[in-house]
Amino acid sequence: MFTGIIEGLGTISAMRPAGYGKRLTVEADFILDQTKIGDSIAVNGACLTVVKIGGKRFETDLSPETLVTSTFGKAKLGDRVNLERAMRLADRIDGHLVSGHIDGIGIIKKREKLANAITLAIEVPDTISHYLIHKGSVAVDGISLTINTCEPGHFSVQIIPHTAAVTTIGMKRNNDPVNIESDMIGKYVERFLL
């Protein structure tokens, strides 16, 4: 489990085929102390398992499902990524409960400045917008954000200066793809009602 509070950034430094999947190497901007093989790290919101680690660099395997469901299918060397190591049970949850299981890809359709914030309008498939609610939570590239508006097929969020400065969301432009994970509570409630 994660909180959607990004710990730091990293850069994709290598990517190679691994069967029908890929092996991804990420160089973190910070030391990954106490991280070991088998640990989970959310990379742009996707929960990935560390299979090799040394200093600031770690490797992880991307399954065919991850390549189809997330932006990793079109990722390239040099891409900057958001990183968050799994939370510990004693940690505060400053964002919201994030599983790291990407629901799909959204596309930034509009980016505009509003006072000190950046407003992003993001287009998503109906299968995702179905779970979004006004003032609810959503993870965009792993970042815990509050939904300002939502309608079928799209929603908007506002990004404060701190979040824009310490995550990749400040670098995003119109038509950029982003990983989307809707709030898991809505999915569980729907399942219980079926």
Side-chain angles (χ1 to χ4, degrees), residues 165-185:
V166 300
T167 70
T168 61
I169 202 79
M171 305 170 202
K172 298 293 181 180
R173 300 291 174 247
N174 287 343
N175 297 314
D176 281 350
V178 288
N179 291 324
I180 304 292
E181 180 186 337
S182 60
D183 191 0
M184 70 174 68
I185 295 171

Side-chain angles (χ1 to χ4, degrees), residues 16 27 33-34 55 65 89 100 115 133 148-149:
R16 61 180 166 81
E27 184 80 27
D33 59 326
Q34 300 180 11
E65 171 71 11
L89 288 178
I133 61 168
N148 289 347
T149 64

Side-chain angles (χ1 to χ4, degrees), residues 141-159:
D141 273 354
I143 306 161
S144 176
L145 297 170
T146 301
I147 299 167
N148 289 347
T149 64
C150 62
E151 295 178 24
H154 65 277
F155 68 96
S156 72
V157 293
Q158 287 191 345
I159 311 301

